[in-house]
Amino acid sequence: MSDISSTSKPVIVTPGDPAGIGAEITLKAALASPIAFVAIADPAHMADAAKKFGINIPIHVWQKGTVIEPGCLTILEHNWPAEIIPGKPIKENSLAIIDAIKSAVSEIRSGNASALVTNPINKFILYQAGFKFPGHTEFLATLSSVRTQPVMMLANKFLRVIPTTIHNPVSEIPSILTYDLLYKTIVIARQDLITDFGIPNPRIAVCGLNPHAGEQGALGSEEIDMISPVISQLLSEDIHIDGPLPADTLFHQEARDNYDLVIGMYHDQVLPVVKTLDFNNTVNITLGLDFIRTSPDHGTAYNIAGKNIAKCDSLLAAISYAENLSQTRGKYTQINSRSIR
Amino acid sequence: MSDISSTSKPVIVTPGDPAGIGAEITLKAALASPIAFVAIADPAHMADAAKKFGINIPIHVWQKGTVIEPGCLTILEHNWPAEIIPGKPIKENSLAIIDAIKSAVSEIRSGNASALVTNPINKFILYQAGFKFPGHTEFLATLSSVRTQPVMMLANKFLRVIPTTIHNPVSEIPSILTYDLLYKTIVIARQDLITDFGIPNPRIAVCGLNPHAGEQGALGSEEIDMISPVISQLLSEDIHIDGPLPADTLFHQEARDNYDLVIGMYHDQVLPVVKTLDFNNTVNITLGLDFIRTSPDHGTAYNIAGKNIAKCDSLLAAISYAENLSQTRGKYTQINSRSIR
């Protein structure tokens, strides 16, 4: 075990929007995390923040290739072009926010880091600097060498869910939700459950789109026209899958014992449930990339930035997931004697 | 206390579809319930069922106006025209299923019973006998002397939720969800929280329709065009209300402490959460009627009918809610010296 630990590459954590709670929770996580990680950050800014928040922690610059230890903040240096004011995002720092994400992926590509953890960004500020993506996830997909669709999973120790459509108005869901999208989402999710979560034959439950999964067509036709055919196809491929199932009877303990993952049809069908089960420790995981990426499941939280009340629980959970998924993928790759997809 | 108890009228329980689990859970509830109730049932059928399920309980015919006691099954006699086969619903009993509901409401109108608890029906079988309603709730609204829209609440000890639209395909939600519907739903719900739940100034949280409550219009316009105006209007009426709020951050313990009720926009936005929090003890409550009505939050469960494995937890919770809501409404009416709405 000590061999693996001493030779393992660190998880790398991006700063996110510096006007948010990223610096604060990164410092708190560095103090609390049993897993060593590298944070992309401005050392002077972090030293100031540590002093302001009363966090007494050694700050080191990352020496790539060396073993880093928990209990200190290890930094990959990064500069912010404009002043950082907590709670006041400014577009002048936007390109640097994006650059930090690119740097992190580059360190993974170069073999210096193992997995990516991203602190929250504010896409609306980034849009003012020319960012053209619906969010972090879609941007990261362009940095992946594998050209699949990115798949967003929310996970905690009680439940894993994937909304097939994500950030779409409800009025657009029926037209966006296609056979292809659902099929690919499930195939990608299943593959990553095998390689990254170490589940050899994942059991997948699929929600209907409509209430009561459409009641045999009485409350909508998408289950009959599209969802059931996808499930039939996947069953014919020997995939362990069940559905379309009514979402409202799918999430209590007894039901959860029957599957490893729920595929929901849209955001508010599954995210409220997973966050209700463990709000502070839910992690956002992007599947379908050629690197591991997790993030805390909250936003920039400008309203509490700089107030020293932000909790680092979700970031800690994201770091822990990134480390575990990365190690599991590494073992899987080794055992199956083939390169990462 | 003994005065109130000895003079109180009983809750009345309908049989629902006799091919479902209604008889079984009613017998089990009669054995377990600390609250006495009257069940509409065929005495011979119930005696047979009790014997089959090994439930040793005295069965009495209800003497209206007398005090009934828990620990026995008190029956208002009812006949089934056709044979009852567990798990095999037949249309020949459909009119009798509907008649039982009418009889129960009639006993409440006559002052013999206090509140209605309905066992599950199967509307598809009832349709074959000419039933024309989307469900129990809409049918009961026609039996109410108050001509408001019925409002469906799901409640347990952790959470109360109301889906503004209920049994509609997702594709129809945006057009069905109107200012009028939302406004009336909230006003009715608030009124019943005051009179039946004993909450003098209910705090109401309102979900957005779209993910993240629309992100200021980026993910849908209904929040700006319709939901916010309803909330502004209600705030101007001094109602304690907040929203539109993102559904995914609204249901953990810390968030729940801030309100007494969540108004969701549709079925799968709020029902999965409330059932996840306490699957076996969630109760369906119809607001906006001139009588109290609750029901267990499950279906006819044909698949387990007759197998003696059905749980009566939700029916027990429904009976308990019916009794408590009825007593609270009674006190409210007395204190406010006016007749029931």
Side-chain angles (χ1 to χ4, degrees):
Chain A
M1 288 301 286
S2 66
D3 270 356
I4 291 169
S5 163
S6 63
T7 60
S8 70
K9 296 173 281 188
V11 167
I12 189 161
V13 179
T14 64
D17 188 329
I21 59 172
E24 178 182 339
I25 61 176
T26 301
L27 280 162
K28 289 178 176 174
L31 202 63
S33 177
I35 297 165
F37 63 87
V38 170
I40 299 183
D42 177 336
H45 173 230
M46 284 308 234
D48 285 352
K51 192 173 168 190
K52 177 178 171 184
F53 297 131
I55 296 169
N56 189 10
I57 188 166
I59 299 180
H60 303 303
V61 171
W62 184 29
Q63 305 298 319
K64 295 176 193 177
T66 63
V67 175
I68 65 169
E69 300 291 343
C72 58
L73 181 68
T74 304
I75 284 180
L76 173 64
E77 287 192 72
H78 181 71
N79 294 312
W80 298 111
E83 193 187 0
I84 296 163
I85 305 170
K88 303 283 177 200
I90 47 171
K91 68 175 180 186
E92 286 74 11
N93 279 325
S94 292
L95 287 177
I97 293 170
I98 297 166
D99 282 344
I101 300 168
K102 289 180 183 170
S103 297
V105 173
S106 169
E107 293 299 338
I108 296 170
R109 288 245 173 283
S110 312
N112 296 319
S114 64
L116 174 65
V117 176
T118 58
N119 266 305
I121 59 173
N122 171 359
K123 60 192 180 184
F124 295 104
I125 285 293
L126 301 188
Y127 289 161
Q128 296 178 24
F131 188 75
K132 292 191 193 326
F133 303 94
H136 238 130
T137 302
E138 294 83 356
F139 175 56
L140 288 166
T142 69
L143 303 181
S144 173
S145 65
V146 182
R147 286 284 168 270
T148 58
Q149 68 189 48
V151 170
M152 182 174 90
M153 173 190 281
L154 279 285
N156 55 41
K157 66 182 171 183
F158 301 103
L159 181 64
R160 300 181 195 97
V161 298
I162 287 174
T164 304
T165 63
I166 309 178
H167 295 128
N168 309 104
V170 165
S171 61
E172 295 177 9
I173 294 170
S175 60
I176 290 170
L177 191 65
T178 62
Y179 183 105
D180 262 16
L181 177 66
L182 181 58
Y183 180 84
K184 283 183 187 161
T185 298
I186 296 172
V187 169
I188 290 167
R190 180 175 181 273
Q191 181 62 29
D192 281 16
L193 284 177
I194 296 170
T195 58
D196 301 354
F197 290 78
I199 303 169
N201 187 17
R203 300 163 304 160
I204 299 170
V206 181
C207 294
L209 169 64
N210 298 299
H212 307 172
E215 275 188 6
Q216 288 83 47
L219 299 178
S221 60
E222 291 86 351
E223 287 77 11
I224 294 168
D225 295 343
M226 190 275 286
I227 303 174
S228 290
V230 169
I231 292 170
S232 297
Q233 173 59 34
L234 291 164
L235 281 169
S236 79
E237 298 171 24
D238 279 339
I239 288 176
H240 190 134
I241 192 164
D242 191 17
L245 299 164
D248 59 331
T249 53
L250 196 52
F251 294 106
H252 52 293
Q253 178 66 59
E254 208 172 58
R256 295 199 305 270
D257 288 344
N258 294 318
Y259 54 75
D260 302 300
L261 169 69
V262 170
I263 302 284
M265 294 301 110
Y266 56 89
H267 191 280
D268 278 4
Q269 189 180 42
V270 291
L271 266 65
V273 175
V274 70
K275 294 195 188 186
T276 297
L277 285 169
D278 194 355
F279 191 73
N280 290 322
N281 298 294
T282 299
V283 174
N284 181 328
I285 303 167
T286 308
L287 310 182
L289 305 177
D290 65 342
F291 51 88
I292 303 288
R293 181 257 179 158
T294 70
S295 77
D297 185 38
H298 55 67
T300 49
Y302 294 136
N303 58 322
I304 60 166
K307 296 185 180 168
N308 204 8
I309 55 174
K311 286 180 186 168
C312 67
D313 304 51
S314 186
L315 177 57
L316 282 173
I319 292 167
S320 172
Y321 264 94
E323 173 84 356
N324 292 335
L325 296 174
S326 165
Q327 294 208 357
T328 307
R329 185 183 287 194
K331 283 177 201 157
Y332 180 88
T333 308
Q334 208 171 18
I335 290 165
N336 290 274
S337 300
R338 61 190 201 209
S339 60
I340 290 177
R341 295 175 310 153
Chain B
M1 287 303 287
S2 65
D3 269 357
I4 291 171
S5 163
S6 62
T7 59
S8 70
K9 298 174 281 189
V11 167
I12 190 160
V13 179
T14 64
D17 188 328
I21 58 172
E24 178 182 338
I25 61 176
T26 300
L27 279 162
K28 289 178 176 174
L31 203 63
S33 177
I35 297 164
F37 63 88
V38 171
I40 299 183
D42 177 336
H45 174 231
M46 284 310 234
D48 285 351
K51 193 174 169 189
K52 176 178 173 185
F53 298 132
I55 297 169
N56 188 9
I57 188 166
I59 299 180
H60 302 302
V61 170
W62 184 29
Q63 305 298 319
K64 294 176 195 177
T66 63
V67 175
I68 65 169
E69 299 290 344
C72 59
L73 181 67
T74 304
I75 284 180
L76 174 63
E77 286 193 72
H78 181 71
N79 294 312
W80 298 111
E83 193 188 359
I84 295 164
I85 305 170
K88 304 282 177 201
I90 47 171
K91 69 176 179 184
E92 287 74 11
N93 279 325
S94 292
L95 286 178
I97 293 171
I98 297 165
D99 281 346
I101 300 168
K102 289 180 182 169
S103 296
V105 173
S106 169
E107 293 299 339
I108 296 170
R109 289 246 174 282
S110 310
N112 296 320
S114 64
L116 174 65
V117 176
T118 59
N119 266 307
I121 59 173
N122 171 358
K123 61 191 179 184
F124 295 104
I125 285 291
L126 300 188
Y127 289 161
Q128 295 178 24
F131 188 74
K132 292 191 191 324
F133 303 93
H136 239 131
T137 302
E138 294 82 356
F139 174 56
L140 288 166
T142 69
L143 303 181
S144 173
S145 65
V146 182
R147 286 284 169 268
T148 58
Q149 67 187 49
V151 169
M152 181 174 90
M153 174 190 279
L154 278 286
N156 57 39
K157 66 182 170 183
F158 301 104
L159 181 64
R160 298 181 196 98
V161 297
I162 288 173
T164 304
T165 64
I166 309 177
H167 295 128
N168 309 104
V170 166
S171 62
E172 295 177 9
I173 295 170
S175 60
I176 291 170
L177 190 65
T178 61
Y179 184 104
D180 261 17
L181 177 66
L182 181 58
Y183 179 84
K184 283 183 189 162
T185 298
I186 297 172
V187 168
I188 290 167
R190 180 174 181 273
Q191 181 62 29
D192 282 15
L193 284 177
I194 296 170
T195 57
D196 301 354
F197 290 79
I199 303 170
N201 186 16
R203 301 163 304 162
I204 299 169
V206 182
C207 293
L209 169 64
N210 299 298
H212 307 173
E215 276 188 5
Q216 288 82 49
L219 300 178
S221 60
E222 291 86 350
E223 287 78 8
I224 294 168
D225 295 343
M226 190 276 285
I227 303 173
S228 290
V230 169
I231 293 169
S232 297
Q233 172 59 33
L234 291 164
L235 281 170
S236 79
E237 297 172 23
D238 280 339
I239 287 175
H240 190 134
I241 192 165
D242 191 18
L245 299 163
D248 60 330
T249 53
L250 195 51
F251 294 105
H252 52 293
Q253 177 64 61
E254 207 172 60
R256 295 199 305 269
D257 288 345
N258 295 318
Y259 54 75
D260 302 300
L261 170 69
V262 170
I263 302 285
M265 294 302 109
Y266 56 89
H267 190 280
D268 278 4
Q269 189 180 42
V270 292
L271 265 65
V273 174
V274 71
K275 294 195 188 185
T276 298
L277 285 169
D278 194 354
F279 192 72
N280 290 323
N281 298 294
T282 300
V283 174
N284 181 327
I285 303 166
T286 307
L287 310 182
L289 306 177
D290 66 342
F291 52 87
I292 303 287
R293 182 258 177 156
T294 70
S295 77
D297 185 38
H298 55 68
T300 49
Y302 294 135
N303 58 323
I304 61 167
K307 297 185 180 168
N308 203 8
I309 56 175
K311 288 180 185 168
C312 67
D313 304 51
S314 187
L315 177 57
L316 281 173
I319 292 167
S320 171
Y321 265 94
E323 173 84 357
N324 291 334
L325 295 173
S326 164
Q327 295 209 356
T328 307
R329 186 183 286 194
K331 284 178 201 156
Y332 180 88
T333 308
Q334 206 171 21
I335 290 166
N336 290 272
S337 301
R338 61 190 200 210
S339 62
I340 291 175
R341 297 176 309 156

